[in-house]
mmCIF file of all heavy atoms in Angstrom:
data_model
loop_
_atom_site.group_PDB
_atom_site.id
_atom_site.type_symbol
_atom_site.label_atom_id
_atom_site.label_comp_id
_atom_site.label_asym_id
_atom_site.label_seq_id
_atom_site.Cartn_x
_atom_site.Cartn_y
_atom_site.Cartn_z
ATOM 1 N N GLN A 299 104.204 106.061 102.210
ATOM 2 C CA GLN A 299 103.624 106.523 103.427
ATOM 3 C C GLN A 299 102.094 105.835 103.405
ATOM 4 O O GLN A 299 101.554 105.803 102.598
ATOM 5 C CB GLN A 299 103.465 107.971 103.542
ATOM 6 C CG GLN A 299 104.644 108.796 104.070
ATOM 7 C CD GLN A 299 104.400 110.142 104.550
ATOM 8 O OE1 GLN A 299 103.560 110.905 103.928
ATOM 9 N NE2 GLN A 299 105.067 110.606 105.673
ATOM 10 N N LEU A 300 101.807 105.540 104.669
ATOM 11 C CA LEU A 300 100.452 105.024 105.008
ATOM 12 C C LEU A 300 99.888 105.657 106.166
ATOM 13 O O LEU A 300 100.539 105.736 107.205
ATOM 14 C CB LEU A 300 100.533 103.418 105.283
ATOM 15 C CG LEU A 300 101.008 102.542 104.190
ATOM 16 C CD1 LEU A 300 101.456 101.165 104.553
ATOM 17 C CD2 LEU A 300 100.017 102.369 103.034
ATOM 18 N N VAL A 301 98.632 106.225 105.928
ATOM 19 C CA VAL A 301 98.150 106.995 107.048
ATOM 20 C C VAL A 301 96.675 106.396 107.248
ATOM 21 O O VAL A 301 95.774 106.570 106.483
ATOM 22 C CB VAL A 301 98.023 108.520 106.751
ATOM 23 C CG1 VAL A 301 97.322 109.196 107.824
ATOM 24 C CG2 VAL A 301 99.294 109.059 106.492
ATOM 25 N N GLU A 302 96.471 105.855 108.485
ATOM 26 C CA GLU A 302 95.169 105.208 108.956
ATOM 27 C C GLU A 302 94.278 106.334 109.548
ATOM 28 O O GLU A 302 94.790 107.374 110.117
ATOM 29 C CB GLU A 302 95.252 104.117 109.858
ATOM 30 C CG GLU A 302 96.094 102.962 109.238
ATOM 31 C CD GLU A 302 97.606 102.956 109.761
ATOM 32 O OE1 GLU A 302 98.075 103.998 110.140
ATOM 33 O OE2 GLU A 302 98.125 101.923 109.890
ATOM 34 N N SER A 303 93.007 106.052 109.415
ATOM 35 C CA SER A 303 92.096 106.921 110.182
ATOM 36 C C SER A 303 90.827 106.220 110.334
ATOM 37 O O SER A 303 90.563 105.158 109.772
ATOM 38 C CB SER A 303 91.666 108.309 109.405
ATOM 39 O OG SER A 303 91.217 107.878 108.027
ATOM 40 N N SER A 317 90.158 103.737 107.299
ATOM 41 C CA SER A 317 90.773 104.004 106.027
ATOM 42 C C SER A 317 92.156 104.063 106.165
ATOM 43 O O SER A 317 92.852 104.330 107.184
ATOM 44 C CB SER A 317 90.253 105.421 105.503
ATOM 45 O OG SER A 317 88.845 105.386 105.382
ATOM 46 N N CYS A 318 92.969 103.692 105.009
ATOM 47 C CA CYS A 318 94.517 103.774 105.038
ATOM 48 C C CYS A 318 94.804 104.473 103.707
ATOM 49 O O CYS A 318 94.674 103.857 102.688
ATOM 50 C CB CYS A 318 94.957 102.515 105.109
ATOM 51 S SG CYS A 318 96.825 102.463 104.856
ATOM 52 N N ALA A 319 95.205 105.765 103.723
ATOM 53 C CA ALA A 319 95.506 106.431 102.536
ATOM 54 C C ALA A 319 96.993 106.289 102.297
ATOM 55 O O ALA A 319 97.900 106.523 103.214
ATOM 56 C CB ALA A 319 95.295 108.047 102.792
ATOM 57 N N ALA A 320 97.292 105.832 101.084
ATOM 58 C CA ALA A 320 98.632 105.495 100.725
ATOM 59 C C ALA A 320 99.301 106.570 99.765
ATOM 60 O O ALA A 320 98.602 107.213 99.018
ATOM 61 C CB ALA A 320 98.718 104.090 100.036
ATOM 62 N N SER A 321 100.477 106.739 99.824
ATOM 63 C CA SER A 321 101.260 107.661 99.005
ATOM 64 C C SER A 321 102.748 107.004 98.670
ATOM 65 O O SER A 321 103.106 106.202 99.434
ATOM 66 C CB SER A 321 101.304 109.024 99.496
ATOM 67 O OG SER A 321 102.020 109.019 100.762
ATOM 68 N N PHE A 323 103.386 105.017 96.284
ATOM 69 C CA PHE A 323 103.168 103.667 95.597
ATOM 70 C C PHE A 323 101.664 103.539 95.259
ATOM 71 O O PHE A 323 100.895 104.282 95.765
ATOM 72 C CB PHE A 323 103.749 102.505 96.326
ATOM 73 C CG PHE A 323 102.831 102.100 97.474
ATOM 74 C CD1 PHE A 323 102.084 101.033 97.423
ATOM 75 C CD2 PHE A 323 102.765 102.828 98.639
ATOM 76 C CE1 PHE A 323 101.206 100.575 98.435
ATOM 77 C CE2 PHE A 323 102.037 102.457 99.705
ATOM 78 C CZ PHE A 323 101.165 101.351 99.590
ATOM 79 N N VAL A 325 98.389 101.336 95.526
ATOM 80 C CA VAL A 325 97.803 100.213 96.495
ATOM 81 C C VAL A 325 97.401 99.023 95.542
ATOM 82 O O VAL A 325 97.663 97.835 96.041
ATOM 83 C CB VAL A 325 96.657 100.871 97.207
ATOM 84 C CG1 VAL A 325 95.716 99.691 97.717
ATOM 85 C CG2 VAL A 325 97.029 101.757 98.432
ATOM 86 N N LYS A 371 91.357 106.712 94.722
ATOM 87 C CA LYS A 371 91.882 107.370 95.889
ATOM 88 C C LYS A 371 93.141 106.755 96.429
ATOM 89 O O LYS A 371 93.607 107.367 97.489
ATOM 90 C CB LYS A 371 90.764 107.321 96.924
ATOM 91 C CG LYS A 371 89.472 108.145 96.508
ATOM 92 C CD LYS A 371 88.603 108.093 97.635
ATOM 93 C CE LYS A 371 87.260 108.940 97.195
ATOM 94 N NZ LYS A 371 86.130 108.967 98.292
ATOM 95 N N ASN A 372 93.601 105.683 95.875
ATOM 96 C CA ASN A 372 94.771 104.914 96.487
ATOM 97 C C ASN A 372 94.678 104.702 97.909
ATOM 98 O O ASN A 372 95.524 104.952 98.657
ATOM 99 C CB ASN A 372 96.105 105.841 96.158
ATOM 100 C CG ASN A 372 97.215 104.863 96.019
ATOM 101 O OD1 ASN A 372 97.056 103.750 95.564
ATOM 102 N ND2 ASN A 372 98.386 105.476 96.296
ATOM 103 N N THR A 373 93.460 104.216 98.308
ATOM 104 C CA THR A 373 93.068 104.067 99.715
ATOM 105 C C THR A 373 92.631 102.587 99.896
ATOM 106 O O THR A 373 91.840 102.054 99.183
ATOM 107 C CB THR A 373 92.099 105.158 100.100
ATOM 108 O OG1 THR A 373 92.672 106.412 100.000
ATOM 109 C CG2 THR A 373 91.680 104.901 101.581
ATOM 110 N N LEU A 374 93.081 102.066 101.139
ATOM 111 C CA LEU A 374 92.646 100.838 101.580
ATOM 112 C C LEU A 374 91.573 101.075 102.693
ATOM 113 O O LEU A 374 91.580 102.031 103.415
ATOM 114 C CB LEU A 374 93.771 100.034 102.108
ATOM 115 C CG LEU A 374 93.593 98.566 102.727
ATOM 116 C CD1 LEU A 374 93.335 97.616 101.669
ATOM 117 C CD2 LEU A 374 94.848 98.335 103.504
ATOM 118 N N CYS A 391 97.588 99.335 108.938
ATOM 119 C CA CYS A 391 97.518 98.807 107.548
ATOM 120 C C CYS A 391 99.039 98.648 107.131
ATOM 121 O O CYS A 391 99.960 99.374 107.684
ATOM 122 C CB CYS A 391 96.924 99.759 106.526
ATOM 123 S SG CYS A 391 97.606 101.396 106.272
#
Side-chain angles (χ1 to χ4, degrees):
Chain A
Q299 280 197 320
L300 297 166
V301 179
E302 300 96 335
S303 60
S317 300
C318 172
S321 59
F323 75 103
V325 163
K371 295 182 178 179
N372 209 31
T373 297
L374 179 73
C391 67

